[in-house]
Amino acid sequence: MSHGARVIRTGVSSAGPAAPPPVTVASSSAGSDAELMDGGYFRSCAGMLKVAQMISLLIGFISVNNSPWTDYSAYSFFQIVTMCDLVMILFFYIMHIFRVYRKLTCVSWPLAEFLHYLIGTILLLIGSIVAASKSYNITGLVAGATFGFLATILCVISMWSSYKVSCITQSTSKYR
């Protein structure tokens, strides 16, 4: 039994008997809104980019955490920045998977995500530079700084692609 959108005719035209209503695309899209998770986001470029960011941040955190430290303040800052970025990226990833942005429309989610990437990328770049300069060729610390730089590059790519998509979408929809 279909619960999609239906066309109800209130009268019959003088042209003859009423034809059955055409099948519309709206009935198939109503079912996709009822789904709990967005399965397409897992395989999208933005979703895979977020997973790559989370993995590189986690590897950077673990490699610094399991190494002997030479400077407490530099590496504690690096660990705090990597964990905060990891938690925020995981938050936005879950938000996209469960489509929370559709329910909470009072927040500008693209702007919030852009500001997170902007601030997080700057702090991660600073933390990675400081960690790399204070590593003294200790393998785990060098690996942590390297994965920090990799996460920084991935964050810049994500920030650039989301800004580029929003600018292109706004500029093309304006002239239609």
Side-chain angles (χ1 to χ4, degrees):
M1 188 170 189
S2 174
H3 296 290
R6 293 180 183 232
V7 176
I8 299 174
R9 294 184 182 253
T10 57
V12 178
S13 68
S14 62
V23 177
T24 60
V25 180
S27 63
S28 64
S29 67
S32 65
D33 287 341
E35 293 176 4
L36 180 64
M37 294 177 63
D38 185 10
Y41 191 74
F42 291 118
R43 294 176 299 278
S44 71
C45 184
M48 288 189 286
L49 195 58
K50 280 189 186 5
V51 170
Q53 291 166 0
M54 289 187 287
I55 289 171
S56 63
L57 286 169
L58 187 63
I59 290 173
F61 175 80
I62 290 173
S63 61
V64 166
N65 194 37
N66 293 333
S67 298
W69 290 6
T70 55
D71 190 359
Y72 180 76
S73 62
Y75 292 108
S76 61
F77 176 75
F78 181 80
Q79 285 184 320
I80 289 169
V81 168
T82 55
M83 278 298 103
C84 287
D85 268 356
L86 179 71
V87 168
M88 287 305 295
I89 291 170
L90 181 64
F91 171 75
F92 283 114
Y93 187 72
I94 290 172
M95 183 199 66
H96 282 288
I97 288 175
F98 290 109
R99 298 180 178 144
V100 175
Y101 59 90
R102 290 184 181 176
K103 294 175 180 71
L104 296 175
T105 57
C106 60
V107 177
S108 174
W109 291 107
L111 179 63
E113 193 167 2
F114 178 76
L115 289 175
H116 157 258
Y117 276 119
L118 182 68
I119 294 168
T121 302
I122 291 170
L123 291 175
L124 190 59
L125 180 64
I126 292 169
S128 298
I129 289 171
V130 171
S133 66
K134 304 269 185 176
S135 66
Y136 303 114
N137 292 331
I138 299 173
T139 309
L141 301 178
V142 172
T146 303
F147 279 103
F149 283 122
L150 177 65
T152 303
I153 291 169
L154 292 173
C155 287
V156 167
I157 290 171
S158 181
M159 185 173 47
W160 178 76
S161 66
S162 67
Y163 181 71
K164 182 184 83 166
V165 168
S166 68
C167 284
I168 290 172
T169 303
Q170 289 176 0
S171 65
T172 58
S173 65
K174 183 178 178 181
Y175 296 110
R176 284 187 181 183

